[in-house]
Amino acid sequence: MKVIILAGGKGTRLWPMSREKYSKQFLKLVDETPLIEASYERALKIVGPEDIVTITNKDYYFYTKEICDKFSPALAQNIITEPLGRNTAPAIALSVQYLIDKLNEDRDEVTYVFTSDHMIRPLEKFIAYMETAKNAAQDGYLVTFGIKPTRPETGYGYINVGESLGDFNKVESFTEKPDFETAKMYLKIGNYFWNSGMFAFKISTFLEELRKYQPEIFEKIEKGFDTSLNNFQDMPNISIDYAIMEKSKKVAVVPMDIFWSDVGSWDSFYEIKEHDQDGNVLVGDVEAIDVKNSLVFANDRLVAVTNVEDLIVVETNDAILVTLRGNGERVKEIIEKLKKENRKEAIEHQEIFRPWGSYKTLETGDRYRIKRVVVKPGESLSLQMHYHRTEHWVVIRGTAQVTIGDKTFFVHEGESTFVPKSTLHRLANPGKVPLELIEVQNGEYVEEDDIVRFEDKYGRIDR
């Protein structure tokens, strides 16, 4: 068996915590484990690390690889990076072709498709449902998983469960995100389940239905993985539900009575967290007086709230979201507006993660920028130069190995060094603890694109 992990989602409804360059699957929103890490833990209960394929986008590659490396080098070897987003149907099709071409997968073996950003428990019950899905897939069905609903949720798609086939059922129909009154009716009827976005199938069944209902995608992947990856941008932008599941006559559903959440909005985050005696979810440094049924999430600063009800407040160091509970879906509208205005807050945090570590902008002014830079043990930045700025580094923790021009030397805690304009330089951490330093940039232009890389262990060469 094989498992495909879909890890390219943007998580826009969880803005400002989740952003396009660093999405919700990598955040420790609910506990101390990123959602994608929990997804790998579930998958590894079913197959070995060498049997898991992850498809993500190029911005998330190094984040994904770092988490894969925690489990096994074999897990990190099978990461596909999409050139650009094309929704779940092309992503799954490309991953299936990878299984055929690169892993020599038997077309009659069962493959599971899991998401990277959902909460599921208990694990043992989930694994039992996977065995049921395996049997259904071996019978020639495209299998989806329905979650028994606990409330009239308008942010999820629904599956109308039809004729019983033993431990699983035929699918009568799919409904995409109904209004509140319709969702209430579905809950009352009882045979409607939330659409979890997970699947199971034999590769032969998937390809047969793909050829029948999405010949444009099928013809492209039939040319082989490498060719279809190079032409990925020509595939239609369509979800697997619209592309195949809502059209096929071979769709079965495994109804699951477990805890599940896609943690897709602040409303769903509020639902899954424990509430205090006033119905509040208070996270971080929060002072609340006469506050009821509200979510207040303080990430960097003290947030004080008084005399409000049914409110969502989410604070980060560069943006604050305030909205009424129940309006979580409208956060997407904010993102669209910010993008039209070219606001970087829609795309990235002030703290930016790189394969070697991270940096956080502390202050920006006319002709200068101040950053806090953290380099992981054993890692190094590229050999690079800047045309328009100088850099002054002050080490506040650890030891830096610095190359400036033709000289390489060490800079210790409390010491500093200076990098002139147009000078080749490199920063590395030779030690066993994170290297932390303050970087002061000065010049007529201090944006990130004033970097020319000459050598880079992560393959980011400009010339």
Side-chain angles (χ1 to χ4, degrees):
M1 294 187 297
K2 295 291 189 288
V3 171
I4 296 169
I5 303 283
L6 304 176
K10 305 293 187 183
T12 53
R13 290 174 295 164
L14 283 173
W15 185 89
M17 287 294 293
S18 176
R19 307 208 185 173
E20 190 169 305
K21 295 288 188 180
Y22 195 71
S23 189
K24 68 170 180 173
Q25 57 264 40
F26 306 107
L27 300 175
K28 298 177 181 178
L29 279 174
V30 182
D31 50 36
E32 290 305 306
T33 302
L35 293 170
I36 189 173
E37 192 169 321
S39 187
Y40 285 127
E41 289 173 354
R42 289 191 293 271
L44 287 166
K45 295 293 183 180
I46 300 171
V47 299
E50 69 280 0
D51 297 317
I52 298 173
V53 171
T54 305
I55 183 162
T56 185
N57 65 57
K58 59 184 179 180
D59 290 327
Y60 299 165
Y61 172 76
F62 289 108
Y63 308 144
T64 304
K65 183 179 182 301
E66 183 176 8
I67 290 173
C68 286
D69 284 336
K70 290 182 182 179
F71 293 98
S72 166
L75 189 61
Q77 288 176 357
N78 294 319
I79 301 175
I80 305 168
T81 53
E82 301 170 306
L84 74 170
R86 273 295 178 262
N87 219 313
T88 53
I92 294 171
L94 184 67
S95 301
V96 165
Q97 195 61 45
Y98 181 94
L99 294 177
I100 296 170
D101 288 4
K102 306 297 183 181
L103 300 185
N104 300 312
E105 172 73 334
D106 186 326
R107 296 189 184 214
D108 284 329
E109 284 293 336
V110 172
T111 296
Y112 297 94
V113 178
F114 295 156
T115 56
S116 64
D117 54 1
H118 291 182
M119 281 187 65
I120 299 172
R121 59 176 184 255
L123 180 57
E124 298 75 17
K125 205 169 179 180
F126 173 78
I127 299 303
Y129 284 123
M130 295 305 105
E131 188 64 27
T132 301
K134 177 184 174 182
N135 295 334
Q138 287 173 333
D139 287 344
Y141 288 99
L142 297 174
V143 184
T144 186
F145 297 88
I147 308 297
K148 185 177 181 180
T150 57
R151 61 186 184 278
E153 174 63 56
T154 61
Y156 299 152
Y158 283 73
I159 301 169
N160 184 2
V161 174
E163 175 190 351
S164 174
L165 299 171
D167 292 334
F168 55 94
N169 298 71
K170 282 191 173 181
V171 170
E172 191 70 27
S173 63
F174 290 88
T175 303
E176 184 64 25
K177 296 182 180 178
D179 59 36
F180 184 72
E181 290 304 317
T182 304
K184 280 173 61 178
M185 180 184 69
Y186 288 168
L187 200 64
K188 186 176 181 180
I189 292 172
N191 63 329
Y192 283 83
F193 285 66
W194 291 334
N195 188 348
S196 70
M198 298 183 291
F199 310 96
F201 47 73
K202 289 193 300 185
I203 286 180
S204 56
T205 306
F206 175 80
L207 292 176
E208 180 182 335
E209 299 302 276
L210 185 69
R211 177 170 53 189
K212 186 182 298 184
Y213 298 108
Q214 294 297 323
E216 186 179 351
I217 298 176
F218 178 82
E219 289 166 6
K220 285 182 171 58
I221 68 163
E222 196 179 25
K223 296 175 182 177
F225 173 77
D226 293 328
T227 300
S228 52
L229 179 63
N230 290 334
N231 298 316
F232 193 71
Q233 69 277 2
D234 298 328
M235 292 196 190
N237 188 346
I238 187 171
S239 73
I240 191 67
D241 292 301
Y242 286 133
I244 298 177
M245 304 303 286
E246 295 182 9
K247 297 178 173 66
S248 174
K249 307 302 181 186
K250 296 183 177 181
V251 182
V253 57
V254 175
M256 299 197 296
D257 187 7
I258 59 175
F259 173 83
W260 170 90
S261 174
D262 71 345
V263 202
S265 68
W266 290 116
D267 289 314
S268 61
F269 180 85
Y270 172 83
E271 292 291 340
I272 65 177
K273 294 289 285 185
E274 184 176 350
H275 301 171
D276 66 16
Q277 67 273 15
D278 294 316
N280 297 318
V281 174
L282 308 178
V283 181
D285 192 2
V286 177
E287 293 291 345
I289 300 174
D290 293 331
V291 175
K292 296 185 184 300
N293 305 320
S294 295
L295 164 65
V296 185
F297 195 125
N299 188 59
D300 277 330
R301 292 165 286 184
L302 165 66
V303 176
V305 188
T306 181
N307 293 96
V308 296
E309 294 185 20
D310 299 315
L311 205 62
I312 291 174
V313 180
V314 182
E315 175 270 340
T316 66
N317 55 16
D318 64 342
I320 298 173
L321 170 71
V322 181
T323 187
L324 287 173
R325 271 188 50 229
N327 284 346
E329 296 294 315
R330 299 198 65 185
V331 174
K332 281 187 173 182
E333 297 175 34
I334 295 175
I335 300 298
E336 291 169 5
K337 189 172 188 295
L338 291 175
K339 284 184 174 181
K340 287 178 181 178
E341 296 170 357
N342 295 318
R343 296 292 299 260
K344 63 180 178 58
E345 292 90 345
I347 307 297
E348 61 187 24
H349 289 278
Q350 285 191 323
E351 184 171 16
I352 306 295
F353 293 91
R354 292 288 185 255
W356 46 261
S358 65
Y359 67 86
K360 182 177 182 179
T361 300
L362 304 178
E363 186 175 339
T364 301
D366 184 27
R367 298 180 63 88
Y368 76 90
R369 176 172 292 174
I370 303 173
K371 293 180 178 178
R372 173 180 169 270
V373 179
V374 179
V375 184
K376 293 183 287 190
E379 301 298 335
S380 65
L381 282 69
S382 58
L383 181 66
Q384 58 185 249
M385 63 172 282
H386 314 293
Y387 287 115
H388 301 287
R389 69 174 186 248
T390 62
E391 292 179 342
H392 191 170
W393 295 335
V394 181
V395 176
I396 58 176
R397 183 187 181 201
T399 297
Q401 181 176 317
V402 175
T403 298
I404 300 178
D406 57 0
K407 295 181 180 179
T408 298
F409 52 94
F410 294 103
V411 181
H412 300 284
E413 190 172 307
E415 298 175 345
S416 65
T417 190
F418 177 77
V419 182
K421 288 182 184 179
S422 305
T423 303
L424 281 177
H425 61 279
R426 190 200 304 270
L427 175 66
N429 180 3
K432 298 184 181 300
V433 300
L435 165 66
E436 297 183 34
L437 56 89
I438 299 299
E439 176 180 278
V440 180
Q441 303 175 354
N442 183 251
E444 63 272 18
Y445 186 78
V446 292
E447 296 301 324
E448 284 305 306
D449 55 356
D450 181 25
I451 299 177
V452 182
R453 295 184 179 92
F454 292 83
E455 295 176 8
D456 184 66
K457 64 188 290 186
Y458 311 107
R460 304 168 301 164
I461 298 297
D462 298 310
R463 55 187 294 171

